[in-house]
Amino acid sequence: MTGCIARSDIFQHRLMEEPPPASATRRTRERYEQLVREAKTLCASCPLFTDCLYSAVAEHDVSGFVAGTTAAQRRSMRNLLDVEVQADDFDQLAGARGTRRPVSHEEVLRLRTQYPNDSLESLAMRLGCSLSTVKRHLRRARRGQSPAAKTPRPRPQVNAVLDAFDTVVDQQRQPRRTGSSRVA
C-alpha cells in the first residue's frame, strides 16, 4: 500500500489542496509545513514515485500535493520542460454535456451537413454550445478558414521530468538571500 493511500489523512487534508496564504495564522502555516514534510517523506520512499511524478507533470493536471510536489512546483516543472497539460474534463469523462464545452470546427460542419434543414439554434442545442459558436464556425467555413489543428507537443522523457524535479525542488530548498551582499 502506498503512503498516499495509507495516510489519506495527510494527502487529503484540506490544507494540502493549496498552500495557505501569507495572511494565514502562524499555526495554520506551521501545520501545513508539517503535513508537507510528512508527505514528502512518504513520497520519497514510495516505489511508484517516478510513475506518479511523470503522470502528474506530463499527463494530468492534478491538484494538491502529488509525488512530493505542490501544484506550483509542477507548473514550474512544466514551464522548464515546455509541457502543456490540460485539466481533465470530468463532465466529459462522465458523459455530461454542459455549457462552455469546446466544439470542434469539423463537428459543427458535420452536423450542418447531416441536418441541413435544422435551424442554427437547433444545431447549437445538439452541440451543447452557443448560437454564436455555430455561426462563427459556419462563417469560417464560408471564408475557407479552417482553424489550424494544434500539433501536440511531444511528451518529455522520464529522465527530463526527474531532472526538472531536481531543479525546481533544489532551487526552492536553497536559502533565499535578501538585501545586498557584503564583502568582507
Side-chain angles (χ1 to χ4, degrees):
M1 185 180 293
T2 61
C4 56
I5 292 175
R7 295 296 313 272
S8 61
D9 59 310
I10 294 172
F11 288 89
Q12 293 180 9
H13 193 282
R14 64 176 177 78
L15 285 175
M16 295 298 273
E17 284 299 313
E18 190 172 308
S23 61
T25 65
R26 180 176 160 202
R27 183 174 181 218
T28 300
R29 290 191 315 270
E30 287 173 351
R31 176 66 177 142
Y32 172 75
E33 291 301 323
Q34 176 190 5
L35 289 167
V36 167
R37 281 191 304 274
E38 291 175 27
K40 282 183 179 184
T41 300
L42 291 167
C43 287
S45 64
C46 181
L48 300 176
F49 173 80
T50 301
D51 293 336
C52 187
L53 178 66
Y54 185 84
S55 178
V57 171
E59 296 173 348
H60 302 284
D61 185 15
V62 294
S63 63
F65 192 87
V66 178
T69 61
T70 63
Q73 289 171 326
R74 290 189 299 278
R75 279 191 301 275
S76 295
M77 292 168 63
R78 287 186 196 112
N79 286 338
L80 276 175
L81 297 165
D82 193 28
V83 171
E84 189 175 304
V85 177
Q86 299 297 318
D88 289 331
D89 184 353
F90 293 110
D91 288 339
Q92 183 179 9
L93 292 172
R97 295 186 77 160
T99 59
R100 301 173 86 31
R101 179 182 75 81
V103 176
S104 76
H105 183 72
E106 293 75 24
E107 187 177 8
V108 172
L109 298 180
R110 181 185 62 76
L111 276 182
R112 184 60 174 163
T113 303
Q114 187 175 354
Y115 302 101
N117 297 325
D118 276 10
S119 67
L120 298 182
E121 293 87 358
S122 177
L123 289 176
M125 287 179 56
R126 287 180 190 273
L127 291 163
C129 67
S130 68
L131 174 61
S132 62
T133 298
V134 171
K135 288 180 177 180
R136 183 177 65 247
H137 285 287
L138 293 176
R139 272 193 309 270
R140 285 181 183 162
R142 277 194 309 272
R143 293 180 194 146
Q145 300 171 327
S146 178
K150 286 186 178 179
T151 306
R153 295 179 183 167
R155 294 239 167 112
Q157 297 293 320
V158 172
N159 286 339
V161 173
L162 292 171
D163 290 344
F165 173 84
D166 290 340
T167 300
V168 170
V169 172
D170 286 344
Q171 180 182 21
Q172 292 178 352
R173 283 185 191 156
Q174 294 175 359
R176 296 181 185 174
R177 296 179 185 200
T178 55
S180 61
S181 58
R182 294 172 39 185
V183 177

